[in-house]
């Protein structure tokens, strides 16, 4: 497939102005062809969503593993947070597909999701965040990443440096706040109530 040439808008306009049954079927057929090259036979929309989610989980896992290599504790969590944002901005379609948690019995999907979860839990575990505290930390981090990515994608193009600065501050606040999760868990453990 030829890469999209942004200087050839007349071609895009021609496709969009064509009767809907022609251009939407062509786009769908092109998408299915591209997906089948990577994922094999894709017959239904749920299969397509699963294939994209699996690719998203695997891509994010690779990016996190690369980012945390050689880092420990809180530095690894910082690196993971930045890798998550970078992946989402660099592969928005895969990121969005992996944001959803569909109810599926697909073993490949469950394996990819499980392997990603193990990597993330390991990074938090090395920083002393485990169990219920880790689950809270993961939810908070996912929300932080998703919120920034959604806002960044919908913002004018001229502000990426501002978002980068804000994200660095947000990650630092998150990392410093992890001690609150550890302290809350410790307080629950020793509390007689």
């Amino acid at each position: 497939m030829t890469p999209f040439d942004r200087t050839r808008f007349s071609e895009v306009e021609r496709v969009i102005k064509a009767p809907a049954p022609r251009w939407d079927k062509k786009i769908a057929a092109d998408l299915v062809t591209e997906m089948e090259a990577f994922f094999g036979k894709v017959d239904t929309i749920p299969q397509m969503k699963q294939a994209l989610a699996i690719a998203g989980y695997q891509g994010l896992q690779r990016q996190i593993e690369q980012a945390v290599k050689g880092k420990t504790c809180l530095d690894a969590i910082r690196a993971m947070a930045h890798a998550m944002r970078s992946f989402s901005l660099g592969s928005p379609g895969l990121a969005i597909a992996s944001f959803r948690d569909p109810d599926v019995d697909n073993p490949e999907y469950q394996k990819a999701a499980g392997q990603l979860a193990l990597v993330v839990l390991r990074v938090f575990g090395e920083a002393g965040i485990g169990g219920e505290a880790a689950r809270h930390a993961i939810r908070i981090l996912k929300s932080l990443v998703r919120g920034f990515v959604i806002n960044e994608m919908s913002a004018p193009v001229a502000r990426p440096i501002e978002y980068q600065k804000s994200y660095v501050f947000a990650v630092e606040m998150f990392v410093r706040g992890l001690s609150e999760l550890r302290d809350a868990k410790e307080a629950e453990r020793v509390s007689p109530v």
Side-chain angles (χ1 to χ4, degrees):
M1 181 176 206
T2 322
F4 180 66
D5 181 359
R6 294 186 185 276
T7 62
R8 297 179 65 192
F9 285 113
S10 61
E11 185 177 328
V12 173
E13 287 176 23
R14 182 176 49 79
V15 169
I16 291 172
K17 288 179 181 176
R22 287 183 51 218
W23 68 264
D24 64 347
K25 286 181 182 174
K26 171 133 177 60
I27 289 172
D30 286 348
L31 180 59
V32 168
T33 301
E34 289 294 316
M35 290 190 70
E36 287 180 348
F38 288 102
F39 307 117
K41 188 80 171 133
V42 177
D43 291 322
T44 66
I45 296 215
Q47 286 177 337
M48 185 183 299
K49 288 179 180 178
Q50 289 174 24
L52 291 171
I54 291 166
Y57 289 147
Q58 292 170 340
L60 179 56
Q61 179 184 339
R62 283 189 300 273
Q63 195 146 342
I64 289 171
E65 288 173 335
Q66 185 64 34
V68 301
K69 196 175 285 184
K71 295 178 177 67
T72 58
C73 298
L74 298 180
D75 286 336
I77 292 174
R78 286 182 187 95
M80 179 171 63
H82 288 286
M84 291 170 74
R85 175 174 169 258
S86 177
F87 177 78
S88 295
L89 290 173
S91 301
L94 294 179
I96 289 169
S98 64
F99 282 175
R100 296 187 174 101
D101 292 327
D103 183 24
V104 294
D105 290 332
N106 179 325
E108 189 179 357
Y109 172 88
Q110 291 174 345
K111 179 181 175 189
Q115 288 175 331
L116 174 60
L118 288 174
V119 168
V120 172
L121 285 169
R122 187 194 67 209
V123 172
F124 278 112
E126 289 173 0
I129 308 291
E132 187 177 346
R135 287 190 295 279
H136 289 301
I138 291 167
R139 281 188 208 110
I140 294 166
L141 180 57
K142 284 170 63 174
S143 297
L144 176 75
V145 172
R146 290 175 184 176
F148 262 88
V149 168
I150 289 168
N151 285 326
E152 201 164 350
M153 287 179 167
S154 62
V157 179
R159 297 192 189 144
I161 292 173
E162 292 174 24
Y163 275 97
Q164 176 62 26
K165 280 182 173 179
S166 296
Y167 190 73
V168 169
F169 286 133
V171 169
E172 194 55 36
M173 290 167 59
F174 169 75
V175 167
R176 290 181 185 188
L178 288 174
S179 62
E180 293 296 318
L181 283 174
R182 277 192 299 256
D183 293 346
K185 185 64 178 169
E186 183 61 25
E188 284 178 15
R189 192 178 66 76
V190 271
S191 175
V193 178

